[in-house]
Amino acid sequence: MSCRRMVFAGLLVGAVAVAGCANRPEAVTAISSAAPTTTVAPRPMTDYLVSNADTPEITYLLPAAADAVTLGTVGVASGKNTPECAARNATIPMVAADPLTSALVRVETADGKPRYDVQIAVLNRVVDVDALASTMRACPAVNISVRNPDGSDQAIDWEVPAVKDIAGVGSVREMSYIRELGNKSAGSALAAAVVRFVAVGKHTVVEFISGNIGSYRPELSTESIALADRLLSAQVAKLKR
């Protein structure tokens, strides 16, 4: 009697038939064919950073973790003991020491010249730029104006995001801020800077462009901006691949 006929013979006979059919090779194969589960380890954010292989004319340096955290902070921390300022201080670091959450690289040379004015980071999250700026401005940490040629002071709207179009990238969020740089014991360690944000899928590219230490004009040099545009375009293109 075939297995098919035995199944229709009744509940008891059917049970025996199933037991007998389980001895067939094809039945054993069906039971043991479950695919094994595999776990894919998460990739560190350094894998996503632009490198010399992407831009041969630019060389890069991965700073130490503590230096990357400092370079990846968008603003000066406040010393005020208020909830708003505590929120600011907790919000302004974009880069953490954990490579699974973020990574930062700085330009070492470009076109054969030493450069220290541009860094770029990739975050494993999407940054709400408007919420970030709102939190920062709830506790203003700097109030720096610029002296005009006629001797008057020009107030600057620091930490106000705007939209800018960059060739090869499209629309980005950009804002001017004051950045801590250099050796404080040697004098002023503050400089005007620009930070840019570009969301690419579940990641955010953050680019930092600095002026000279002690310079508080948000209009950075044409050379710095041109290099930053090239670097940002290359980084966004790499993430999209």
Side-chain angles (χ1 to χ4, degrees):
M1 181 183 293
S2 71
C3 277
R4 181 173 296 179
R5 290 177 180 175
M6 291 173 67
V7 169
F8 288 104
L11 179 61
L12 180 60
V13 177
V16 174
V18 170
C21 291
N23 292 326
R24 289 194 173 189
E26 60 267 28
V28 173
T29 301
I31 294 172
S32 61
S33 62
T37 58
T38 59
T39 302
V40 178
R43 293 173 60 188
M45 291 297 102
T46 48
D47 287 0
Y48 298 95
L49 285 172
V50 70
S51 69
N52 187 244
D54 306 297
T55 55
E57 74 280 7
I58 303 175
T59 60
Y60 302 90
L61 177 68
L62 281 171
D67 293 336
V69 172
T70 299
L71 291 170
T73 298
V74 290
V76 177
S78 172
K80 297 178 182 178
N81 186 21
T82 67
E84 292 80 8
C85 293
R88 174 193 174 90
N89 294 347
T91 301
I92 57 178
M94 294 291 102
V95 177
D98 183 359
L100 294 180
T101 65
S102 54
L104 177 144
V105 69
R106 72 170 180 82
V107 174
E108 188 171 23
T109 64
D111 306 315
K113 299 178 181 179
R115 300 301 295 258
Y116 306 98
D117 50 347
V118 182
Q119 299 88 39
I120 201 158
V122 175
L123 315 184
N124 194 16
R125 60 188 175 95
V126 175
V127 176
D128 185 332
V129 180
D130 292 315
L132 168 67
S134 178
T135 300
M136 294 173 68
R137 288 174 63 83
C139 171
V142 294
N143 184 20
I144 296 175
S145 59
V146 175
R147 183 62 56 86
N148 293 318
D150 62 3
S152 62
D153 289 333
Q154 176 189 349
I156 304 295
D157 283 332
W158 303 105
E159 302 171 356
V160 178
V163 177
K164 184 173 182 179
D165 190 71
I166 296 176
V169 179
S171 295
V172 306
R173 302 303 300 278
E174 178 179 289
M175 71 179 183
S176 299
Y177 70 109
I178 294 294
R179 188 180 194 188
E180 289 197 69
L181 291 171
N183 184 352
K184 291 184 180 180
S185 63
S188 173
L190 300 179
V194 168
V195 61
R196 293 167 165 177
F197 300 89
V198 184
V200 183
K202 65 179 182 179
H203 299 110
T204 303
V205 177
V206 187
E207 185 174 50
F208 310 86
I209 316 162
S210 299
N212 295 325
I213 291 178
S215 172
Y216 305 128
R217 287 195 174 275
E219 300 85 7
L220 304 181
S221 72
T222 302
E223 188 178 7
S224 291
I225 295 298
L227 173 59
D229 288 354
R230 289 161 54 193
L231 179 59
L232 187 61
S233 178
Q235 179 62 81
V236 169
K238 182 167 186 174
L239 269 181
K240 287 182 175 180
R241 288 201 291 267

